[in-house]
Amino acid sequence: MFKNHLKISLRNLWKNKTLSFLNLIGLSIGVSSVLTLLFSVYAYYTADNNIPERDSIVYLKTKLKDGNEYREVPYPLLDKVINTSPEVIAGTHLHGWGNIWLENGEKEFQNRTDYADPEFFKVFGLPLKYGNQETALKEKYSIILTDKISQQIYGDENPVGKTLVAADTLNLKVTGVFEPISPYASFRLGVVLPNTLLKDNPTFISQTNWGNSFSPAYFKLRTNANITALKQRIEKLVQENYTDPSVIAGMEILPYSEIRTDIIPVVDTIIGGSIAASLFVLLIILVNLLNLNTSTMFKRTKDIAVRKVLGSSKKSVVIQFCIENGILVFVSIIISSILFLLINLPRLNDTFGPEFGRISFDIFKDYPVVIGIIAVGLVATLVVGIFPTLRFIKVPVSLGIKGKIDQIKSNFLLRNSFIIVQFTIAILFISIAVILNQQIGFMKNADLGFERNNVLVGNIDLDYKNLDVAKSKFNALIDELEANPYVKGVSTSQAIPSDYYFNYTSYYDAENDKDVRIRRSYADDGYFKTLEVPMVMGRNFEKSIDKSNGQPVIINEAALKAFGWTSIEGKKLKYKTDTGEGYPIVGVVKDFHYQDLQNAVEPLVHIYRDKNALERHRFLSVKVIEGQEKEIENMIASAFSEISSRRDYEQSYLVDKVSAQYQLIGGILKTVNITAILTIFISCLGMFGLISFMAKRKVKEIGIRKVLGAGVTKIVVLLSKDYIILVCVASIIAFPIAWYVMNAWLGTFAYSIAIKWWMFGFAGLIALLITAFTLGLQAVKSAMANPVKSLRTE
């Protein structure tokens, strides 16, 4: 029986090949998009599955009275919390302290380096591929590798017990290798070293006091731990031990599951948007299938009537149509899987890779996704196979056998509701895409308060093998650049716009009794000249004066305002407990956007540091006359090729670095654009099928109208006007929703566009034009048909 149903299904699909093809295209593209979106969500939510009992892990977040907050705490706080809090089972620091160079024979490499306490595995319990969790961080000179790094160095060999040379002098024994960690995981590990290794480092020891917050603290809590009591105990420790507890507003205890969102706030938007978009696309696919199935069912009333006459049961007819739809659905799943693996997944990695890491699909590990997409396919098959069929089975045999489809009552409200839903979703995505495009365009082209065009930026933090020789050659390059007529400015600095460290220091003004937390960086006398940042008060750095005059500083307008000053005359930046003279303020620069426009301009201070401090600066910035960029690029690259270093010199343009800040939002834009195109495309496929059906139902009416003198235009309007009205209704519903969603989202930006009426008008016009074109193709074809054939009796 099944074989017979299958044969008939294939025959019917071929007979209606145009609609079958339209269905297959819409399904394949739609399902591949849904598969991509849901797989990214699945990968995100399952990324930390290898951390046992992760619901009992928490971390601390420091909240300041000035509204700022950060995840770092003073180093001694962790031990105090463990020793005084019965709620805590174990705790660990996990922080960086410079990425260490490692040697294995002739090979030399550097990876991200984190330092953790021996209790790390009691908190996180990350499984080891090789080694023992109990002893992996016990030894002072030990090192744990990720599986990726272990593969790069040792291949498939177990490296536990082998020795790596670190920083040219330390012999570190490999004591463990982590199991593969998902790139979507909250961990971004390279190599992990024990904190005990740093306890001989004088700089590290000097920072492990109650006045410096540089290390995150993680705790594993007992079941049903009293979080309120723990928080009160920690805040008491803050008041008793912090150098200046008056600036602390409170300590928040957050579940570890929230840390990814805390680090990348926009991730909630991405994940929520992916879920919503996938559900919307699924809904459109389902509605589209129902509409197209309805149009084919009207043509097959004779087929159903004949089957009923020959004794077929309702169940048999339903099974027949479910098999037909099942073939379409599961062929589309196969096609969409190929599209997902070959096109969508690589694009997903290109879009979000820099923030989330690259992901891959493994059918054995990711089988829930396979099961899920098959389940969706089964549900879709049953819905679109059963509901339209049950409706047409009820048609009397006398009407069905004659093909009197015009006498079958059409569910006008239901069909039109489906169309409105489809186009509401499509127009919603188009509106969001239009507004999002405008916001990103605004951020990329806004006046940022500094010159970003034709500024060549080179990374000079290269870990030089012979620093004295490197300095000599670098100074010769600086002299050559400053003498070059094509160069308008040269600077070395610790930071550049789009890449400032999160270095904050609280300075105190005794006159106003005010503490101000200011982001700190270092720059030479050419920094503000090269970037063309205007001075609003005082003077710029001057090498001849400042080199031997302590450490003068320049603040921005935001810092001036935060202190409540109107003048910098006689002003110095000092710590609250500082008895020295402090940093003399020599100038104030106009506020410039040194970070993206999602963030407001915060108080900022630049401390003078000479160009010669090569080992302490990260960037070389060169302002070049337009048209001469290539010559200067080659000159700088050639100079660095002669300087021996562990890392290779790289350079790019500041305008590209600034634009790269919006790569993640650009990825969201691409996703929205694709979803908008997809939804309107699938909706128009359904519209095409429906107008085909309407034309067939009104074939005699069209013939009569043509005989009575109606032109092609009138008949096109007759067939299309109802659908155009429905698109207009969908627009009216979609616009307020789009305004509400985008207004809320733009509210998260410090600087954003204002939503204008024309953005919605443009979105509605796009939808209307695409719809009109789709309807017009079929309507014109029907209007130009020979009326003699239309009026011929069955």
Side-chain angles (χ1 to χ4, degrees):
M1 191 67 181
F2 176 78
K3 187 177 178 182
N4 186 46
H5 279 310
L6 188 61
K7 244 188 226 183
I8 296 169
S9 297
L10 291 171
R11 191 183 301 140
N12 285 326
L13 289 171
W14 180 252
K15 182 180 177 183
N16 298 293
K17 48 184 173 290
T18 301
L19 283 178
S20 298
F21 182 67
L22 290 176
N23 255 331
L24 194 58
I25 291 175
L27 278 169
S28 300
I29 296 173
V31 173
S32 70
S33 301
V34 170
L35 182 56
T36 305
L37 291 167
L38 291 183
F39 180 70
S40 64
V41 174
Y42 163 82
Y44 175 79
Y45 280 117
T46 59
D48 283 336
N49 280 357
N50 59 341
I51 303 175
E53 300 177 350
R54 61 185 180 279
D55 291 340
S56 63
I57 302 171
V58 298
Y59 68 98
L60 299 182
K61 191 167 188 178
T62 306
K63 290 184 172 289
L64 303 182
K65 288 182 178 176
D66 63 6
N68 288 301
E69 53 187 39
Y70 47 87
R71 290 178 297 280
E72 292 77 23
V73 298
Y75 194 83
L77 179 62
L78 183 132
D79 286 339
K80 285 277 188 182
V81 172
I82 292 172
N83 294 331
T84 59
S85 304
E87 297 89 353
V88 176
I89 297 173
T92 183
H93 299 97
L94 185 66
H95 58 85
W97 197 262
N99 295 330
I100 200 165
W101 279 96
L102 300 171
E103 297 174 27
N104 180 43
E106 297 297 318
K107 294 180 180 178
E108 195 173 33
F109 54 93
Q110 185 184 47
N111 282 284
R112 171 177 172 147
T113 306
D114 288 289
Y115 292 84
D117 298 320
E119 292 75 23
F120 172 82
F121 288 103
K122 291 182 180 178
V123 177
F124 290 106
L126 286 173
L128 292 178
K129 184 178 182 180
Y130 304 114
N132 187 325
Q133 289 183 348
E134 296 292 326
T135 59
L137 288 170
K138 291 286 185 186
E139 297 180 32
K140 181 177 181 180
Y141 298 102
S142 59
I143 183 170
I144 303 175
L145 311 177
T146 60
D147 182 62
K148 182 179 179 181
I149 294 172
S150 178
Q151 291 282 343
Q152 289 172 351
I153 304 171
Y154 300 107
D156 294 328
E157 186 181 358
N158 180 353
V160 171
K162 295 187 180 295
T163 301
L164 290 170
V165 178
D168 298 323
T169 56
L170 296 175
N171 290 318
L172 301 179
K173 185 170 77 173
V174 179
T175 54
V177 176
F178 289 109
E179 288 281 2
I181 298 172
S182 167
Y184 268 21
S186 48
F187 280 103
R188 294 287 187 271
L189 296 178
V191 299
V192 177
L193 304 177
N195 260 323
T196 47
L197 189 64
L198 289 173
K199 300 214 172 150
D200 295 332
N201 185 319
T203 308
F204 177 76
I205 293 169
S206 69
Q207 297 296 311
T208 55
N209 55 56
W210 288 97
N212 285 303
S213 297
F214 71 88
S215 179
Y218 303 94
F219 301 95
K220 188 165 189 179
L221 305 184
R222 301 186 189 281
T223 306
N224 300 321
N226 188 331
I227 301 295
T228 303
L230 177 61
K231 183 178 178 182
Q232 290 171 350
R233 200 173 290 109
I234 291 172
E235 290 184 342
K236 184 180 179 184
L237 290 172
V238 169
Q239 295 301 317
E240 291 174 349
N241 296 282
Y242 271 43
T243 304
D244 184 11
S246 64
V247 300
I248 307 297
M251 301 295 290
E252 193 169 356
I253 301 172
L254 297 172
Y256 184 75
S257 58
E258 294 182 11
I259 196 164
R260 284 178 295 185
T261 304
D262 199 10
I263 295 170
I264 313 173
V266 78
V267 75
D268 268 349
T269 304
I270 294 172
I271 297 302
S274 294
I275 294 170
S278 58
L279 291 175
F280 284 151
V281 173
L282 273 174
L283 180 60
I284 282 183
I285 290 171
L286 201 59
V287 170
N288 189 63
L289 269 175
L290 284 167
N291 282 339
L292 288 177
N293 261 18
T294 302
S295 68
T296 57
M297 292 291 285
F298 270 96
K299 290 167 56 180
R300 295 177 62 183
T301 49
K302 285 186 181 180
D303 179 26
I304 295 172
V306 169
R307 284 174 172 274
K308 288 167 73 174
V309 168
L310 295 175
S312 287
S313 63
K314 290 183 180 180
K315 180 181 175 182
S316 175
V317 175
V318 169
I319 290 172
Q320 176 65 58
F321 283 97
C322 282
I323 290 173
E324 283 183 31
N325 285 285
I327 291 170
L328 277 177
V329 169
F330 284 96
V331 168
S332 72
I333 287 176
I334 293 169
I335 295 171
S336 65
S337 300
I338 296 169
L339 291 173
F340 166 70
L341 293 171
L342 298 182
I343 299 173
N344 293 9
L345 188 57
R347 285 183 178 275
L348 185 72
N349 278 321
D350 290 342
T351 300
F352 300 118
E355 294 291 342
F356 295 111
R358 301 190 73 80
I359 58 172
S360 58
F361 179 79
D362 186 326
I363 195 168
F364 298 106
K365 283 170 53 182
D366 302 319
Y367 64 88
V369 177
V370 179
I371 294 171
I373 207 72
I374 290 173
V376 168
L378 284 172
V379 170
T381 299
L382 293 173
V383 169
V384 301
I386 293 173
F387 287 103
T389 310
L390 290 177
R391 179 184 168 201
F392 284 90
I393 285 175
K394 297 176 182 176
V395 175
V397 174
S398 58
L399 291 178
I401 207 78
K402 295 177 183 178
K404 299 276 187 181
I405 59 173
D406 54 319
Q407 296 182 34
I408 300 172
K409 187 179 178 182
S410 172
N411 194 330
F412 178 83
L413 181 62
L414 181 63
R415 190 184 75 238
N416 287 356
S417 298
F418 281 160
I419 294 170
I420 290 171
V421 167
Q422 275 187 305
F423 276 88
T424 297
I425 295 170
I427 295 165
L428 176 64
F429 275 106
I430 295 172
S431 301
I432 290 172
V434 170
I435 296 169
L436 195 53
N437 270 293
Q438 291 296 311
Q439 174 64 16
I440 292 178
F442 162 74
M443 291 191 294
K444 287 185 175 181
N445 300 309
D447 180 8
L448 302 179
F450 63 89
E451 179 56 59
R452 53 188 153 172
N453 295 312
N454 304 115
V455 177
L456 182 64
V457 176
N459 178 15
I460 57 174
D461 180 20
L462 305 181
D463 205 343
Y464 302 97
K465 293 184 177 179
N466 188 320
L467 185 58
D468 292 333
V469 172
K471 277 187 174 183
S472 176
K473 291 184 177 181
F474 180 71
N475 289 338
L477 171 63
I478 294 293
D479 291 340
E480 191 178 351
L481 286 169
E482 289 179 336
N484 193 299
Y486 300 141
V487 174
K488 295 173 68 177
V490 181
S491 168
T492 58
S493 57
Q494 186 191 58
I496 56 170
S498 77
D499 195 347
Y500 269 72
Y501 281 144
F502 287 91
N503 284 344
Y504 290 93
T505 300
S506 290
Y507 296 103
Y508 180 70
D509 178 32
E511 289 182 17
N512 296 333
D513 190 26
K514 183 177 286 187
D515 260 302
V516 177
R517 184 169 176 261
I518 305 179
R519 195 191 291 243
R520 184 184 74 246
S521 189
Y522 291 83
D524 66 5
D525 58 318
Y527 184 70
F528 296 117
K529 294 175 186 175
T530 302
L531 297 183
E532 299 181 11
V533 180
M535 303 293 300
V536 296
M537 199 178 292
R539 64 171 176 84
N540 201 345
F541 292 132
E542 293 182 27
K543 182 176 181 179
S544 59
I545 301 173
D546 298 329
K547 188 174 182 181
S548 57
N549 190 26
Q551 283 190 298
V553 300
I554 293 175
I555 61 175
N556 66 349
E557 291 175 300
L560 186 76
K561 184 178 179 181
F563 278 115
W565 296 337
T566 56
S567 169
I568 57 169
E569 187 176 349
K571 303 294 186 185
K572 294 183 179 182
L573 291 186
K574 299 180 70 172
Y575 306 119
K576 194 169 188 176
T577 56
D578 190 4
T579 56
E581 293 187 4
Y583 301 102
I585 302 173
V586 299
V588 179
V589 291
K590 190 173 180 62
D591 282 342
F592 65 98
H593 295 280
Y594 57 87
Q595 53 189 342
D596 63 52
L597 292 181
Q598 287 179 273
N599 300 287
V601 177
E602 297 174 321
L604 178 67
V605 59
H606 287 86
I607 304 170
Y608 176 76
R609 184 184 280 164
D610 192 74
K611 283 185 177 70
N612 292 328
L614 175 62
E615 75 282 9
R616 303 179 73 187
H617 283 151
R618 292 196 298 149
F619 298 106
L620 167 67
S621 302
V622 182
K623 173 68 175 172
V624 186
I625 291 176
E626 190 172 355
Q628 306 300 326
E629 296 90 351
K630 200 66 183 176
E631 181 178 333
I632 303 302
E633 281 181 45
N634 293 337
M635 184 176 82
I636 298 172
S638 176
F640 274 99
S641 68
E642 297 176 5
I643 301 176
S644 183
S645 61
R646 286 188 168 97
R647 282 189 286 273
D648 293 330
Y649 173 76
E650 295 177 351
Q651 58 190 4
S652 57
Y653 282 92
L654 184 57
V655 67
D656 296 326
K657 287 183 172 291
V658 170
S659 294
Q661 295 177 107
Y662 305 111
Q663 184 170 3
L664 194 57
I665 298 176
I668 299 174
L669 175 61
K670 285 181 184 176
T671 304
V672 170
N673 285 342
I674 291 168
T675 306
I677 293 168
L678 179 66
T679 52
I680 198 75
F681 175 72
I682 295 174
S683 299
C684 286
L685 283 180
M687 194 75 82
F688 187 85
L690 281 174
I691 199 168
S692 300
F693 152 68
M694 288 301 296
K696 286 179 174 62
R697 286 194 70 186
K698 297 188 175 185
V699 66
K700 285 190 176 181
E701 180 184 344
I702 293 169
I704 292 168
R705 285 177 179 273
K706 288 192 73 176
V707 168
L708 294 176
V712 172
T713 304
K714 286 188 176 180
I715 294 172
V716 169
V717 170
L718 170 72
L719 292 172
S720 308
K721 66 178 181 181
D722 289 343
Y723 297 105
I724 297 295
I725 291 170
L726 293 177
V727 172
C728 292
V729 171
S731 298
I732 293 168
I733 297 170
F735 292 158
I737 299 172
W739 179 87
Y740 177 80
V741 170
M742 294 310 291
N743 193 55
W745 185 70
L746 290 174
T748 63
F749 289 78
Y751 308 92
S752 65
I753 60 169
I755 299 176
K756 304 287 181 63
W757 68 267
W758 67 262
M759 298 175 185
F760 299 115
F762 183 66
L765 182 63
I766 291 173
L768 204 58
L769 288 175
I770 294 172
T771 305
F773 177 75
T774 306
L775 293 171
L777 287 176
Q778 185 61 36
V780 169
K781 179 184 173 184
S782 302
M784 295 181 70
N786 188 342
V788 175
K789 291 183 179 180
S790 303
L791 293 170
R792 192 174 289 162
T793 308
E794 299 88 342

